[in-house]
Amino acid sequence: MLPPTPEADVGEDVWPIGLEEVPMSGDADVLRLAMELETRRAGLLVSGDVEGLAGLLSEHLYYAHSTGLLDSKGSFIEKFRNGTLVFRSVNARVESVAALGEQAFQASGVLELQVQVGGAERFIVAIYIVIWRQENGIWQLIGHQATAAPSNL
């Protein structure tokens, strides 16, 4: 079981559940799992836990930022490690999920980020989609795509 990360600003709802070999039997289960994984990822980003974050990301990660820049696992972790990306707060609001078989799912929603990028502070509101997949019995993020949200969100 992954513990919640109380020091992170990750929203209100946290359901601590075991994340290894979690069967997905319905949308409520997938939604709960998605919220737990996104809460865990947000906590790792805000806490600066490089090793914890690296363990949550797939070696096959495709990470598209809201600016259109792309990262692999290696390049994202390096930016995180060297301080190019410093996350102050992360609020990931999961709004929909879809199971992709028994070993993967997609989730989408709205991200609110307070982040320092290359020394400049930014507040970002984006719509996003993530793909999570079980790899060797562990849920890992394999895909992330964010797009600047319209001003009415």
Side-chain angles (χ1 to χ4, degrees):
M1 179 190 295
L2 296 173
T5 311
E7 68 274 3
D9 175 14
V10 294
E12 297 176 7
D13 296 319
V14 177
W15 291 282
I17 58 173
L19 299 179
E20 292 76 29
E21 300 295 334
V22 174
M24 295 187 300
S25 59
D27 285 348
D29 291 337
V30 178
L31 180 61
R32 190 175 75 173
L33 177 60
M35 293 176 80
E36 174 66 20
L37 288 166
E38 287 297 287
T39 297
R40 178 66 175 153
R41 182 170 71 99
L44 293 168
L45 289 168
V46 173
S47 71
D49 184 345
V50 175
E51 298 309 315
L53 184 62
L56 205 60
L57 304 179
S58 170
E59 294 299 323
H60 306 284
L61 178 68
Y62 177 92
Y63 195 102
H65 297 268
S66 62
T67 59
L69 296 176
L70 300 175
D71 274 311
S72 64
K73 177 181 180 175
S75 63
F76 187 86
I77 290 295
E78 181 55 29
K79 290 174 184 173
F80 189 64
R81 183 186 321 272
N82 71 21
T84 299
L85 293 172
V86 179
F87 292 86
R88 309 283 189 215
S89 67
V90 176
N91 183 8
R93 189 171 71 230
V94 176
E95 295 179 344
S96 68
V97 295
L100 305 172
E102 290 296 316
Q103 302 296 314
F105 68 89
Q106 72 178 33
S108 60
V110 178
L111 278 175
E112 294 178 345
L113 308 169
Q114 181 68 43
V115 60
Q116 185 181 54
V117 181
E121 293 290 335
R122 297 187 59 205
F123 180 72
I124 298 167
V125 178
I127 54 175
Y128 81 113
I129 186 168
V130 287
I131 311 264
W132 289 88
R133 177 174 73 181
Q134 274 194 354
E135 296 181 0
N136 299 314
I138 298 171
W139 286 102
Q140 293 189 305
L141 182 68
I142 190 168
H144 175 279
Q145 169 73 53
T147 302
S151 59
N152 64 345
L153 278 185

